[in-house]
Amino acid sequence: MTSSTFTPSISLLGGIIIGLSVTLWLITTGRLTGLSGILSGLVPPVAGKLPPAENTRFKLAHASGMVQAGIVLYLVDSSLFSLGSTDHPYYWYAIGGLLVGLGTRIGNGCTSGHGICGMALLRKRSLAGVLTFLTTGIATSTALQANHSFPTRSSPEQPESNAMWAVLAISIAMLGASILLDQSRWRDTLVSWFCGAVFSVGLAVSGMTKRDKVLNFLGITKSWDGSLAFVLGGALVVSFVSFHLIRKFYKNPVLDKMGSCQNQDDCYTFSLPSSESDNLDFKLIIGGWLFGAGWGMTGLCPGPALLVGSAGFPKVLAAFLPAMFLGFSLAIGGLQWWQNRTLQQQEAAAANAAAPFIANEPNAQTFPEA
C-alpha cells in the first residue's frame, strides 16, 4: 500500500459540503439521503414487487446528478479520482461489490444513511450499524494488509475515456426519464439532481474517491491516514444542527409550501423514521458485517464507487458496480420473500389457533325457534 497524505482541512471541507447536500434535500423534499437506498431503487428485485414509479423518479434524478458532477470533476481535476497503487483482479472487485450490495440492503443503510442521517437523528440502529460496519471494515482491511493481500502495481490504473462518455450518455437518459415520469414535479427533479451533484463534490473533495486514502484509513498500519474521520465529523455536525433546526421551525418541506403537488395526498412531508422503528435486530448486524467486509476489501462504498466507475475505471465499472447492483437485487428480493413467508406463517398460525373456537361455537339452527 502506498501511504497517503493526512489532509484534515480539505477532508473536513468535503464533509461539510456533503452535510449541506443532505440538509438541502431534507428541507426541500423531506427526504433523507441514503445512497444505497437511492441506487438500489434503480434495479428491480430478483423476486417481489417493483418499486413505485414516483420513488424511481427522484432516485434517477439524484443519481444522474451524482454521475454528471463526478464526470465534470474528473475532467477538471483527474487527481481527485484514483484506484491507487493496489493491483487486484476483477473478481476481487466483484466479490467486494456483491458484499457491499448485500450488506447495505440487509442492514438498510451505508455510510450516508446510517453514518450521516441516522447518526444526526440520534438513532440507536444507525449507531449500531456504523459501529458494526466500521469495525468490520477496519478488521478486514488491517488483516488483508498485514497478510500482504494488497499487491502493488508499477503505475496507477487509468480510466477508459470511451466508457466515461458512455456513462455520461446513460446519465443524461436517466435524467430525461426522471423528468418524463412526472413533468408536474420538475422542481423536485431539479432539486434532487442538484443535491446529487453537490454530494458528489463533497465526496471528491473529501478524498473518498481515492481508494488508497480510504484503505489507509481502514487499515491500522504504519501508513494509517485518519483524514476520513474529518469527513464524517464535518458531515455529521452540519446534519445534526440542521436537522434539529428543520424539525423545530419547518412543519412541511419547502416544495410543499410552493404548491408542488396536485392533491393533498400527493404533497410533501418529512420522511423521518419513527422512534418505534429504532430497534436493533440481527439483520442490521449481518448487513453491517457484509458491508464492512466488502468495504475493507475494496475501499469502496456505494457513493464513491458510483463516481469512480463513472470516471471510466474498468474494474469498478465492469466488476464492482454490477456486482453491487446484483447484491441490491438479491437482498431486496430475499427480504421481500422472507417477509411474505413470515406473514403467511403468522396468518396460518392465527387461523389454526382460532379453529377450535369456531368448531365449538353453537350453530344458530340448533336452538329451537320461539
Side-chain angles (χ1 to χ4, degrees):
M1 285 289 300
T2 301
S3 61
S4 54
T5 305
F6 182 52
T7 56
S9 299
I10 195 70
S11 295
L12 178 63
L13 175 61
I16 291 172
I17 295 173
I18 291 172
L20 292 174
S21 168
V22 169
T23 298
L24 179 61
W25 212 32
L26 178 65
I27 197 172
T28 52
T29 69
R31 302 186 189 104
L32 294 174
T33 304
L35 293 187
S36 61
I38 292 171
L39 297 180
S40 65
L42 305 181
V43 294
V46 293
K49 298 180 179 179
L50 293 173
E54 166 58 21
N55 290 350
T56 304
R57 178 191 57 76
F58 68 79
K59 292 176 180 179
L60 281 169
H62 195 282
S64 65
M66 289 189 66
V67 169
Q68 291 161 21
I71 291 175
V72 170
L73 288 166
Y74 176 79
L75 293 174
V76 171
D77 185 0
S78 61
S79 66
L80 295 172
F81 298 77
S82 173
L83 288 186
S85 59
T86 57
D87 188 22
H88 284 116
Y90 279 85
Y91 72 80
W92 183 274
Y93 285 88
I95 294 172
L98 183 64
L99 291 173
V100 168
L102 288 169
T104 53
R105 286 299 78 211
I106 293 174
N108 199 31
C110 59
T111 50
S112 55
H114 281 318
I116 300 174
C117 296
M119 294 273 283
L121 293 171
L122 303 179
R123 287 177 58 79
K124 294 181 295 185
R125 279 183 59 84
S126 293
L127 176 59
V130 170
L131 290 175
T132 301
F133 68 66
L134 183 59
T135 54
T136 303
I138 289 173
T140 301
S141 187
T142 302
L144 290 172
Q145 292 184 49
N147 291 327
H148 304 289
S149 299
F150 287 93
T152 58
R153 53 186 295 146
S154 57
S155 60
E157 182 177 343
Q158 299 299 315
E160 298 288 343
S161 60
N162 289 337
M164 180 185 67
W165 295 119
V167 172
L168 178 60
I170 293 172
S171 73
I172 294 173
M174 289 167 55
L175 180 60
S178 68
I179 295 172
L180 292 176
L181 282 171
D182 191 345
Q183 297 182 40
S184 66
R185 292 205 169 198
W186 62 269
R187 295 184 186 90
D188 185 351
T189 301
L190 179 61
V191 168
S192 297
W193 177 89
F194 181 74
C195 289
V198 174
F199 202 102
S200 284
V201 173
L203 288 177
V205 169
S206 68
M208 291 290 290
T209 50
K210 295 179 180 179
R211 186 166 172 257
D212 272 358
K213 197 169 188 65
V214 178
L215 291 174
N216 283 330
F217 170 73
L218 294 175
I220 308 300
T221 63
K222 293 181 179 179
S223 59
W224 185 72
D225 180 358
S227 302
L228 298 191
F230 290 85
V231 181
L232 178 59
L236 188 54
V237 168
V238 172
S239 300
F240 176 79
V241 174
S242 63
F243 283 16
H244 174 74
L245 294 176
I246 290 170
R247 296 171 76 181
K248 183 176 181 179
F249 294 108
Y250 284 81
K251 183 178 180 181
N252 292 311
V254 172
L255 286 182
D256 184 73
K257 299 176 184 296
M258 296 175 65
S260 299
C261 53
Q262 300 300 314
N263 54 68
Q264 189 62 34
D265 296 332
D266 195 33
C267 290
Y268 292 86
T269 58
F270 286 112
S271 303
L272 301 177
S274 64
S275 57
E276 290 78 10
S277 65
D278 194 20
N279 297 318
L280 306 184
D281 54 46
F282 202 49
K283 290 189 300 182
L284 178 71
I285 306 303
I286 291 292
W289 286 339
L290 293 172
F291 170 38
W295 191 27
M297 282 180 62
T298 61
L300 296 168
C301 56
L306 180 67
L307 298 192
V308 175
S310 299
F313 287 88
K315 291 179 181 178
V316 179
L317 186 59
F320 186 95
L321 287 176
M324 183 182 74
F325 281 108
L326 175 61
F328 288 156
S329 185
L330 290 171
I332 294 171
L335 290 173
Q336 288 181 359
W337 174 84
W338 182 261
Q339 290 172 352
N340 293 336
R341 180 176 179 271
T342 302
L343 180 61
Q344 291 173 358
Q345 290 177 339
Q346 291 173 346
E347 291 175 346
N352 292 335
F357 297 97
I358 297 174
N360 294 329
E361 184 176 331
N363 192 299
Q365 295 179 354
T366 61
F367 291 91
E369 296 183 0

